[in-house]
Amino acid sequence: AIAPGENILHTGDDIAADQPELHRRVALADFAEHGVGRDTAILEHDLVGRSAAEDDFVQLADRIAPLAEQSSSWKPYQALASGYFEKLRGNPTAAMAAFDRCLELSAPSNAGHFGFAWPLATAGLSEALIELGHHAQAARLARAGLMRCRKSGVLWLSHLVVRALALAEAKLGEAPRAIARIERLMASEEEVAILGLHRAVTYEVRARLALEVRDLAGARLYALFALQARGGGAASISARFEEILMRVATLNVAAGGASGAVKARRLHL
C-alpha cells in the first residue's frame, strides 16, 4: 500500500508498475494529505497526462488558486497551469517564466524525489525554448531532465520529456536520432498498451519529425494515426493534428502534388 504523502513518482519499479491507473491512485492518496477532494485530485491527474484547451487551463488555474492559498504543495501546479495556458495562447516568453517558477517550487529533494509537476514543467519549458529558437538550450534541459527521471525510476511521465528532447534534436539537425528516440517511445507505449491522448501526442511528435525531413507521406500517416488515437480529446487537440495534415497538403502543392493535397484534406474528415 502507498501511504499518503509518499513521493508519487519515485518508485524504481519496472514499467508495469508505472502505469496511469497507479499514478491516479497514488495521486489521490498524496493529495488527500492536503485536504484535496477526490474530484479535484482526479482533475489534476487527468490534465497531467494530456494536452488541453486554453479553457481547461483557465478552469484548472481557478480551481488550484484557493488550494494554493491553503497549502504550498499546490503552488507548483498553479505555476504549471499558468505555463501551459501561456504556451497555448502563443506566448512562449510568459510560459517560460511560469515553467521556471514551477521548477523552482518543485525542485527535487536531496534524495532525488519529486512530484508530478517537475517533469511536466521540464517538458513545457523545453518546448517553450524550442518555440523561441533556443534549440540547444532546450535539448540540454530535456536531456538532463530525462536522465534524472530515469535515475529515479520515472517512466510514464518521462515520456513528455522524451518528446520535447526529440523535437529539440530535430531542430538541431539530429533528425535521425530524434526519430529513433520517438520510435523507441512508440514501441514502449505499444508494449504496455498506452492509448488515447498519450499515444496521440507521441504520434503528433513523430509526424512533426517527419515534416522536419520532408517525409510528407510519413507526416500524413502519423497525423492520421494521432487523429485516430485521440479518443475524446478536446477540439483544440484535433486541430493540432489537422494542422499537420494541412502543412503536408501545402508542401505537396508546392511540389506539384495537388492531387495528394486534396487527398490529405479529405482523409482527416
Side-chain angles (χ1 to χ4, degrees), residues 2-264:
I2 302 167
E6 184 175 340
N7 185 276
I8 55 180
L9 292 179
H10 192 272
T11 63
D13 296 332
D14 61 20
I15 195 166
D18 196 41
Q19 290 305 295
E21 182 56 32
L22 174 65
H23 284 283
R24 178 190 289 266
R25 290 188 287 106
V26 179
L28 289 172
D30 191 68
F31 294 149
E33 182 186 29
H34 307 295
V36 179
R38 178 183 176 85
D39 60 333
T40 306
I42 290 176
L43 170 65
E44 170 68 13
H45 173 262
D46 285 347
L47 285 181
V48 160
R50 69 180 181 90
S51 301
E54 286 184 29
D55 286 347
D56 290 325
F57 284 105
V58 171
Q59 293 170 17
L60 180 59
D62 288 344
R63 296 184 69 177
I64 290 176
L67 297 169
E69 291 180 3
Q70 297 171 16
S71 172
S72 61
S73 64
W74 277 98
K75 291 186 181 297
Y77 298 97
Q78 187 177 29
L80 184 68
S82 176
Y84 276 104
F85 170 73
E86 295 295 346
K87 185 173 179 294
L88 281 167
R89 70 198 295 253
N91 192 344
T93 301
M96 278 182 57
F99 288 132
D100 271 329
R101 176 64 174 157
C102 181
L103 289 173
E104 178 185 343
L105 291 168
S106 61
S109 69
N110 291 336
H113 296 181
F114 51 87
F116 278 133
W118 190 83
L120 288 167
T122 298
L125 180 55
S126 297
E127 291 174 0
L129 286 166
I130 292 170
E131 290 183 41
L132 290 168
H134 304 312
H135 304 141
Q137 186 180 352
R140 286 194 299 271
L141 176 68
R143 191 170 288 115
L146 183 57
M147 288 177 62
R148 181 176 286 277
C149 285
R150 288 177 173 168
K151 182 178 179 180
S152 298
V154 175
L155 299 173
W156 178 53
L157 284 182
S158 71
H159 292 184
L160 288 86
V161 184
V162 171
R163 296 179 193 124
L165 176 55
L167 290 170
E169 288 174 334
K171 292 295 185 182
L172 289 169
E174 301 174 6
R177 169 188 266 184
I179 289 170
R181 186 181 300 280
I182 285 298
E183 290 188 343
R184 289 194 300 272
L185 177 58
M186 288 165 53
S188 69
E189 290 180 343
E190 176 73 25
E191 182 180 355
V192 296
I194 290 178
L195 304 171
L197 281 169
H198 295 279
R199 189 64 171 276
V201 174
T202 300
Y203 283 141
E204 178 196 1
V205 171
R206 181 63 182 86
R208 293 190 184 280
L209 296 180
L211 282 175
E212 287 290 329
V213 294
R214 293 300 178 99
D215 174 12
L216 302 188
R220 176 172 159 273
L221 176 65
Y222 286 108
L224 290 171
F225 281 169
L227 280 167
Q228 184 180 40
R230 77 190 188 281
S236 62
I237 306 306
S238 297
R240 289 205 332 233
F241 306 152
E242 290 166 356
E243 178 263 332
I244 295 173
L245 289 171
M246 295 310 299
R247 283 186 63 191
V248 170
T250 301
L251 291 169
N252 266 331
V253 169
S259 62
V262 172
K263 186 180 293 184

